Amino acid sequence: MTKFIVLLIATTTCNVAMANDSPTLTFENSDGSQTSIAAPGLIITFSDGQLVGVNGDTTVTLDLNQLRKMYFGQATGIDSTTAANDGTTTIYTLGGVLIGKYPSFAEAKAQLQAGVYIVKTANKTFKTTIK
């Protein structure tokens, strides 16, 4: 039943992903972790119990059994400005363009220019501001 509901939501809202006023699609898993991907140009497919979102060079694969919800939004708010050292840290622009991969969030902060970024660690995805 959950898979059907997720499929129905994804199918119903897929065209909305192309709207300019909602540039990101965020997926929330049952453990509370979130993953966001730029919505314009996003292609969503389902295979072997997995949701696969592809947008250019960015691919997100999620287990449908773990997916709690997904929603569209603007990548303009700041959810967090700190993070624990969770190992490899990947940094993206708000538009979803990969900036780089760093051994830790602290090292990424030291090398980034001032701006707002999406940060993905092993345990968490969030937005941060570098001043």
Side-chain angles (χ1 to χ4, degrees), residues 11-114:
T11 304
T12 305
T13 60
C14 192
N15 289 335
V16 178
M18 296 181 189
N20 288 332
D21 60 313
S22 298
T24 61
L25 179 59
T26 300
F27 302 94
E28 184 175 316
N29 288 323
S30 57
D31 65 0
S33 64
Q34 296 180 346
T35 303
S36 295
I37 189 168
L42 178 63
I43 298 171
I44 296 175
T45 58
F46 299 91
S47 177
D48 298 323
Q50 301 284 316
L51 178 148
V52 180
V54 178
N55 191 345
D57 293 336
T58 305
T59 301
V60 173
T61 303
L62 301 162
D63 183 354
L64 288 174
N65 291 324
Q66 298 300 315
L67 187 61
R68 181 176 11 184
K69 65 181 177 179
M70 58 186 183
Y71 52 92
F72 295 97
Q74 295 285 346
T76 57
I78 306 300
D79 293 334
S80 177
T81 57
T82 61
N85 185 0
D86 292 329
T88 301
T89 300
T90 308
I91 307 292
Y92 299 92
T93 66
L94 292 180
V97 176
L98 175 66
I99 298 292
K101 294 185 179 189
Y102 303 87
S104 69
F105 180 65
E107 188 170 324
K109 279 179 68 173
Q111 295 184 29
L112 291 172
Q113 296 179 6

